Each structure stands twice: as C-alpha cells, then as structure tokens.
Amino acid sequence: AFCESRGFDPAWFPGIAPEEVNRHHRVPRPWLYEGAVALLGSSAERFLADYKFNIAPATDDRPYFFHYFRWDLLPELIALRGQGGLTLLDTGYLVLVGTLAFAAPLSLLLILAPLASLRRQQAYAARVRSGAYFLCLGLAFLFVEIASIQRYGLFVGHPLMATVAVLAGFLVFAGAGSLVAARVRRQARVLQWVVAGIVFLLLLQAMALPPPPGILASTAGRIGLTLMLIAPLAFLMGMPFPLGLSRLAGEAPAFIPWAWGINGCASVLSALLAALLAVHLGYRVVLLMAAGLYAMAVSVWPGRAPSAAGGANHLDVSVQAGRDG
C-alpha cells in the first residue's frame, strides 16, 4: 500500500509476483527483483560468482563490508571513467596493492645490495638459508600480530582497546621470551621445541580462540583474558630471532646487520600482505600461514647449540647488533 500510494516499485517481498515489479520507474530488466530472487533461491552461489562486483557477505573472519572490487572488472571501469566508472573502484584496496608492488622490489634491493660489500664469511647456500630464516620470522610475526588484533577486537568489543592490549602483550611477552632465549641458547634442539610450541599455539588460536565475548561481562576482564591467552604464544615468538642472531654471531658476525635488515623489510611487507590475504582468505588462514612460515624457518636453517668455545660472545655480538640497528 505504501509503494502504491507513492509510485514506488517494490524489489521483493514475500509472495511477490513478477508482474508486480518494474511498473512505475521502468528499467530494461528488473535487476533488483532478479537479484533478490536469485540470492534467496537455490542459485545464490552461482549468482554471487557471476556478478560483476564482489557482493559475497562479510564475516567476522573477513570483515570487509566495502570490498566489492574484482580484477576482471578493472578494464571496464577504466573504459567508463568518463561516465564515473572510476568512482566504483575500491581505491583503498588498490592503494594497498600498489604499496606492496612498490615495497617488494625495494625490499629486495635493500636485502641483496649489502651482500656485495660483505665479506664471504658464509657459503652461498648458508647465506640463502640464514636469509630465508630471518625473512620467514619477519613475515610470520606481523601476520600473527595483525590477525590477533582483528580477532581479539571482536572479543574485547572495542577496536582501540584491543589494538593496545594485543600490541602491548606481544611486545612485553616477546621481549621476555628474547631475554630467556639468552639463557637457553646453548641447549641442543631448543629452536625446534620453541617452533613446535609456536605452531601448536597458532593452530589453537586459529581454530579455537578467542572465546565468545559473553563469557565475561566487563571490558577490563576481557582485556585481561586477552593478555593471558596471547602471553604464551608471544613469549615463544620472542625466542627464534635472538636464537638465530646468536648462531649467526658464531658463524658470520658480519652478516648480523644484514639479518636485521631482512627482518625489518619482511615486517613491512608482512603488514601489507596480511591485509591482502585477509581480504581474500580471512584472518584464520593468515594465522595458519604464519604457523607454516615458522615451520619453514626452522626447516631451512635448523638451529643448533653454539659450541662452548664460541658461545660466550654470541649474546654480546647480538646485543651490539641490536644497538647498531
């Protein structure tokens, strides 16, 4: 009755008949009606796949409500730029892609260029393995942080408070793990056990955590529980980097600044990659990929305990490298 009295065309309502649409403001086809019928019927998945824009519903794991862009539509939107086509682009997404396209070759240059001036203290294969180790660590650490900020933001219920809690928790507990790493660096297979713990806790975080928000009524309580849940993971994540530096100090001290540089470049790239991967795959997959990166790190450059003769100076060299960095 409302639509009839004002000359509106209904798109859909329960029991609508095809002849009740597209009567007043006529278009070549009743697209809104056809879309509603398709989405509410058995052909919903086919309709979503064939639609020009990405209109799949957002979820808690992929909370991008305004990501409509599809790459196969880009040429058409550019061709229609004179008719306003460019306003339909998801510019934030394209800026993210463009930033990654700029940062990736620049990071590669900054990683490879110092090798020309470094003495050949390591064989080529050893340099590749140690470089891959620190690259994987840099990528994985930020993957976990960014995914945790989003996931625990749903639990805490306040994005800013969740960001502060997660970042502070990772910095404090990872720092504690780095401190403990100095005392256990000489023990055999410590790196393998640390990474095994990280992978297990990441699988737990991805599949079973965080808990539902309703389990605690107060925001302060949820923040406290958030810190408790990420503490063991962050503690272990703080250990592989100093353990790797300690080993590198014994094998090729001149390469320590290079390792810091690789880790720093990887951290910049991982912040961009994590967002892009979350758009398409979700934050849970980002956590699982982080687990895979940690496992890859320890497989390409498996840790070993420093010798008694050379181990005494490892921490001093690593700390000095940190100051220089």
Side-chain angles (χ1 to χ4, degrees):
F2 179 90
C3 291
E4 287 295 334
S5 64
R6 290 163 177 79
F8 289 169
D9 284 305
W12 184 88
F13 56 80
I16 193 172
E19 59 270 13
E20 295 181 87
V21 302
N22 202 27
R23 293 185 300 163
H24 302 295
H25 303 277
R26 299 186 63 84
V27 291
R29 284 172 52 191
W31 288 296
L32 295 178
Y33 166 75
E34 292 175 355
V37 170
L39 288 171
L40 295 169
S42 58
S43 59
E45 293 299 326
R46 177 65 179 271
F47 182 81
L48 292 173
D50 293 343
Y51 201 75
K52 281 183 178 291
F53 291 93
N54 174 28
I55 58 170
T59 65
D60 285 345
D61 194 46
R62 295 173 58 246
Y64 295 92
F65 295 93
F66 302 103
H67 177 65
Y68 304 115
F69 178 72
R70 280 184 169 171
W71 282 102
D72 53 4
L73 187 61
L74 183 60
E76 183 177 346
L77 293 178
I78 293 177
L80 295 174
R81 61 187 181 277
Q83 303 176 39
L86 288 179
T87 61
L88 301 176
L89 282 174
D90 186 351
T91 53
Y93 174 81
L94 290 180
V95 167
L96 189 63
V97 173
T99 305
L100 180 62
F102 175 77
L106 182 60
S107 297
L108 185 64
L109 176 64
L110 293 173
I111 288 172
L112 296 180
L115 289 179
S117 60
L118 290 173
R119 298 188 300 274
R120 292 184 174 274
Q121 295 190 8
Q122 279 183 311
Y124 175 78
R127 291 201 301 271
V128 171
R129 290 197 298 269
S130 60
Y133 175 86
F134 289 103
L135 181 69
C136 289
L137 294 187
L139 291 173
F141 198 98
L142 266 291
F143 274 17
V144 177
E145 273 194 335
I146 291 176
S148 297
I149 288 173
Q150 168 60 33
R151 288 166 62 83
Y152 280 96
L154 300 173
F155 174 63
V156 173
H158 194 293
L160 181 58
M161 292 182 180
T163 300
V164 172
V166 170
L167 289 181
F170 270 100
L171 291 174
V172 170
F173 293 112
S178 297
L179 186 63
V180 172
R183 302 183 179 183
V184 300
R185 67 187 188 277
R186 298 186 189 181
Q187 298 181 24
R189 302 186 65 83
V190 61
L191 180 61
Q192 286 87 340
W193 284 109
V194 166
V195 170
I198 292 173
V199 171
F200 171 76
L201 290 175
L202 282 176
L203 293 177
L204 184 63
Q205 291 278 346
M207 307 309 296
L209 293 174
I215 138 180
L216 287 173
S218 69
T219 301
R222 291 195 293 272
I223 290 175
L225 184 56
T226 295
L227 292 173
M228 292 175 58
L229 292 174
I230 66 175
L233 174 61
F235 179 83
L236 292 179
M237 285 173 57
M239 300 180 74
F241 185 70
L243 289 173
L245 286 181
S246 180
R247 177 181 173 185
L248 197 60
E251 296 182 0
F255 283 86
I256 288 178
W258 179 63
W260 276 92
I262 291 176
N263 189 263
C265 288
S267 298
V268 173
L269 293 176
S270 64
L272 302 169
L273 275 173
L276 283 175
L277 291 170
V279 166
H280 296 284
L281 304 174
Y283 284 105
R284 178 173 296 176
V285 174
V286 173
L287 286 177
L288 295 176
M289 293 181 71
L293 285 168
Y294 273 109
M296 185 183 301
V298 76
S299 65
V300 297
W301 200 48
R304 64 173 183 239
S307 63
N313 295 324
H314 285 188
L315 183 60
D316 294 338
V317 175
S318 300
V319 170
Q320 185 60 47
R323 292 170 182 167
D324 295 341

